[in-house]
Amino acid sequence: MFGTKRFWLASSMLVLAAGAATAQEAVGVEEVVVTAQKRAENIQDVPLSIMAVSAKAMESKNVTDVKGLEKVVPNLRFDTIAQSAGVSIRVRGFGASSNAAIDPSVAPYIDGVFIPRPGAMLTTFLDVESAEVLRGPQGTLFGRNATVGAVSLRTTAPQDSFSGKAVLEAGRFGSHKAEAIVNLPVNDQFAVRVALTANDTDGWAKNLFDGRTYGESDTVAGRFSAKAKPSDNITWIGRVDYARTNGDGFPLNQIDTSTLSPTQIANFAARSGTPLAELTYPPSRTFDYRVNNRDLKDRQYGLTSDLSINLPGDYTLRLINAYRDWKNLQRDGDVVSTRLDLVSRDSTFKSQAQSHELQLLSPEGALLDGRLDFVAGLYFFEEDYDIGENFNLGSQYCSFAVAAAAPALVNACNAGPKIGVTPGLFTQNAKSYAVYAQATFAVTDTVDLILGARETKDKKSGSFVQTVLNPAAGLLRGAETTALKFDDSQPNWRANLSWHITDDVMAFVTYSTGYKSGGLNSAGGASVLGQKRLFDSEKSKDWELGVKSVLFDRRLLLNVTAYRTDLDDFQERSFDGVSFIIRNAGSIRAKGVEIEGQVKPIDGVSIDFGVAYLDSVFTSNVAAPGLPACNNSATSCRTVQNLTGRRPTYAPKWQGNLGVEYTTPPFGGGFTLTVRGDMAYTDRLYATPDLNPQAIQDRYTLYGGRIALTSPDKSWNVALFGDNLTNEQYFRGSKFVQVLDAVFGVRVPATGATLYRGFVAPPRTWGVRATKTF
């Protein structure tokens, strides 16, 4: 799976760590508390495929943002695209691009509050107490956008004792970070907590065209939390957070030359002015094309109120109210990525969302002589979402692109305006209402039955208005004014049977369903879509069989889940070189196995691991887009293709991670040294909806490490850390057709081949972090 050399390197990490330790008394694996079922429970007692990462574990594994979770959770992926607002969360190969109005298939939550636009999570990873990743449909308790899973972050609430933390960090590429946290109990009934952070980087993508380095950004974020307990029966936690990011928002993309013929490479080089020496593979982290004026301004703030009231009989009434305002403004610079001055784009994303959830939780074993308990709730969500887009024509657009594609429009192009020539605005109001209940019944002392149900109703209305002010800009966008409306309602179900074989071993079987609302396609295109912008809801059914165990005096934690997920009306977004289309692609069947565990063989040594096997196929996809260069001139290359029986996008057959950590016995008066090594493997996958072999993303393995020196009183430590230590060069995330590819002479209609670009992953990074707690 990992390749011979990498397998032996991973094995060596295990041997070295174990060999370095001396034989001492073993200590057990850490107990982790999660809230996946609206209650605080030991993760080993929750009959779900769930992984949780504590703040301590995230620090040791160098997980510094939400995207870092994929290093430690198999079958989880975070992908970003050309615009910083676009973050896709994928579980078991399923997910959705998020810079459009399409809803996520994996529901993101922070402190029990749904975050409608995952891009907003990138700057809110501050003072996180734990991160929970739930795999499989979570439609009963988490709602309509948990079709295939959920990612839930829980920030640290104010505590009743004084504490604080300060962090200073410096790293490669001019990276700096400062963080400060103070927890202050005002009295026995009121406490506050303040968390602040600031970080910046100079970026690492060197442009040979203009001599600049891109990828620079600076972020400032903060959260103020308050906890009040005016009586024994009332607890209130309020949170206010703010985050601001400035920078150029530049994600390096390069041409994938590995599948191009010499003729295609020569044509592109000649017409774009790109030196042949720059068209190399694997993808270089230096580039040679025009960027122009890129600019990113991302702002958000959020308010959360969490009120719990203990009722007679130990019932709990909980009310969670939240509001989030997110605004992302980005100037993309030249979107064609050549030396020519052709087309740049300005984009805006604005989301204002509110949610209100009322929960009633019974005490455990409240009814039927201690055999039945339940949780029930009412939910309301509303979001106003606006997306704006405007193209600017460069000095060579008319003379190069228009002259090649539509020569009759050259004069009109030259005579027309050049700046802001395609003002487009998409607006949407979305409302969602839900009622849910879940009950746990103790069939025997060791067997529990869980039954859950949720009914959700969604309403969406909006409009898409596209204006074209220069006739030649019609090659990019078509004028359109369309009013849109979508309504749907769906039930979700969950049935689970769990058997506690022993106190430390549990087996479970689950059937659950999920639902993601259909909606409105927000993307502009060269052709008018009208009511074709509507797409249907996505629905899932899931069967799981799992075992959770803690064995050998708590030295080994081993969890195994086998699953089968059927997804119908899969919502897929594709790009044809000019336009984005969202369609219901058909049905997918995914089945596989997830294994994760921890081993603590002796004191000081900790090993954690995870492996995911995924067998995913389209059971129906008869009208998929053809390869982009096909024009039906050859029977083997059609503009529409049947992909039934093929593996879908972003569905690697294997994923795995391995971490080994060793902490020395105290030395020099009580100091300890902790050494950790990590490995994460991702198999090859398709990175475009047309399953073009040209767009396959190759397999890759990443290595990371950390060495930390901790003081005798454990109040401070200094750590040296690194990621991608072998400096792996690879594409990751989506690949896309070269904009205006036909103009550059790279299309081969007989085979469908053309030129693809991909996003280049970061190089080796390293840094030093100093932490002081008090």
Side-chain angles (χ1 to χ4, degrees), residues 77-283:
R77 283 180 62 90
F78 287 86
D79 290 317
T80 54
I81 59 172
Q83 294 165 313
S84 64
V87 177
S88 299
I89 311 176
R90 305 183 190 278
V91 165
R92 296 175 177 172
F94 300 119
S97 298
S98 67
N99 66 330
I102 186 172
D103 291 327
S105 300
V106 180
Y109 276 78
I110 300 177
D111 293 320
V113 175
F114 174 66
I115 307 299
R117 304 299 150 194
M121 296 186 76
L122 296 182
T123 53
T124 54
F125 204 80
L126 171 65
D127 197 21
V128 174
E129 183 178 36
S130 70
E132 301 172 17
V133 179
L134 294 82
R135 295 169 297 206
Q138 307 297 324
T140 304
L141 295 182
F142 282 86
R144 64 186 178 95
N145 289 325
T147 324
V148 293
V151 175
S152 179
L153 306 182
R154 190 169 73 247
T155 65
T156 307
Q159 308 296 312
D160 56 7
S161 59
F162 175 77
S163 64
K165 180 180 179 181
V167 179
L168 290 176
E169 180 183 308
R172 196 180 182 195
F173 305 117
S175 298
H176 306 90
K177 181 178 181 179
E179 184 176 304
I181 300 171
V182 176
N183 190 97
L184 180 64
V186 178
N187 54 43
D188 292 342
Q189 298 176 322
F190 189 71
V192 297
R193 187 177 182 91
V194 179
L196 302 170
T197 187
N199 61 77
D200 64 82
T201 181
D202 294 336
W204 48 264
K206 179 71 173 178
N207 191 351
L208 302 179
F209 180 76
D210 61 17
R212 293 181 54 188
T213 299
Y214 288 86
E216 62 92 12
S217 71
D218 73 87
T219 297
V220 175
R223 180 181 294 108
F224 174 82
S225 305
K227 181 178 181 180
K229 196 172 176 62
S231 71
D232 291 340
N233 295 323
I234 299 176
T235 302
W236 175 80
I237 300 175
R239 295 178 173 93
V240 179
D241 65 81
Y242 172 81
R244 181 272 295 161
T245 296
N246 291 335
D248 58 38
F250 180 73
L252 175 60
N253 72 80
Q254 292 279 45
I255 293 171
D256 184 357
T257 61
S258 63
T259 62
L260 296 179
S261 68
T263 300
Q264 288 174 298
I265 294 175
N267 285 348
F268 181 79
R271 300 188 189 191
S272 68
T274 305
L276 282 171
E278 298 302 320
L279 301 176
T280 61
Y281 188 88

Side-chain angles (χ1 to χ4, degrees), residues 653-676:
K653 187 174 183 179
W654 290 99
Q655 284 183 280
N657 62 271
L658 172 67
V660 181
E661 186 173 303
Y662 170 62
T663 300
T664 67
F667 64 90
F671 287 92
T672 57
L673 189 69
T674 300
V675 181
R676 180 178 178 87

Side-chain angles (χ1 to χ4, degrees), residues 289-308:
Y289 54 79
R290 184 183 297 273
V291 174
N292 286 342
N293 298 318
R294 287 192 65 100
D295 188 34
L296 167 67
K297 289 182 173 61
D298 188 288
R299 308 281 190 279
Q300 67 170 302
Y301 68 89
L303 309 170
T304 304
S305 170
D306 188 343
L307 175 66
S308 294

Side-chain angles (χ1 to χ4, degrees), residues 269-517:
R271 300 188 189 191
S272 68
T274 305
L276 282 171
E278 298 302 320
L279 301 176
T280 61
Y281 188 88
S284 171
R285 296 189 177 101
T286 61
F287 64 105
D288 195 335
Y289 54 79
R290 184 183 297 273
V291 174
N292 286 342
N293 298 318
R294 287 192 65 100
D295 188 34
L296 167 67
K297 289 182 173 61
D298 188 288
R299 308 281 190 279
Q300 67 170 302
Y301 68 89
L303 309 170
T304 304
S305 170
D306 188 343
L307 175 66
S308 294
I309 302 175
N310 291 333
L311 304 175
D314 287 333
Y315 287 82
T316 300
L317 189 68
R318 186 181 182 193
L319 177 63
I320 304 175
N321 298 308
Y323 175 81
R324 182 159 298 276
D325 188 297
W326 174 60
K327 182 182 300 182
N328 181 286
L329 310 177
Q330 184 160 335
R331 173 166 292 175
D332 285 340
D334 196 288
V335 297
V336 187
S337 302
T338 68
R339 288 185 160 200
L340 305 177
D341 184 16
L342 295 175
V343 182
S344 64
R345 176 176 57 186
D346 298 330
S347 302
T348 61
F349 302 87
K350 299 178 182 179
S351 170
Q352 295 176 312
Q354 60 172 311
S355 63
H356 310 275
E357 184 170 4
L358 181 65
Q359 302 173 0
L360 179 63
L361 292 85
S362 74
E364 292 190 23
L367 303 170
L368 300 181
D369 297 325
R371 300 176 67 184
L372 178 69
D373 55 65
F374 69 87
V375 55
L378 301 172
Y379 180 78
F380 172 74
F381 169 83
E382 182 176 12
E383 181 197 28
D384 289 316
Y385 190 36
D386 298 342
I387 301 176
E389 180 195 66
N390 211 340
F391 282 115
N392 307 300
L393 306 183
S395 61
Q396 294 173 278
Y397 178 78
C398 301
S399 60
F400 177 78
V402 179
L409 293 176
V410 171
N411 290 336
C413 181
N414 286 322
K418 305 297 188 299
I419 303 301
V421 297
T422 60
L425 179 62
F426 170 85
T427 62
Q428 174 183 276
N429 174 266
K431 294 184 176 73
S432 183
Y433 311 80
V435 56
Y436 64 88
Q438 180 170 291
T440 302
F441 176 70
V443 181
T444 70
D445 290 341
T446 59
V447 177
D448 290 332
L449 173 66
I450 297 176
L451 296 176
R454 186 184 189 108
E455 179 69 23
T456 302
K457 182 173 181 59
D458 285 297
K459 295 182 177 181
K460 294 181 179 181
S461 61
S463 65
F464 180 84
V465 178
Q466 180 79 68
T467 305
V468 179
L469 303 180
N470 186 312
L475 298 175
L476 305 170
R477 294 291 181 259
E480 179 180 350
T481 299
T482 303
L484 300 163
K485 185 177 181 180
F486 179 87
D487 294 345
D488 197 8
S489 60
Q490 290 286 339
N492 282 316
W493 312 98
R494 181 186 178 206
N496 173 276
L497 193 66
S498 60
W499 174 31
H500 289 267
I501 302 170
T502 70
D503 290 342
D504 295 322
V505 180
M506 178 184 69
F508 66 89
V509 59
T510 300
Y511 170 77
S512 60
T513 67
Y515 153 72
K516 183 175 77 170
S517 171

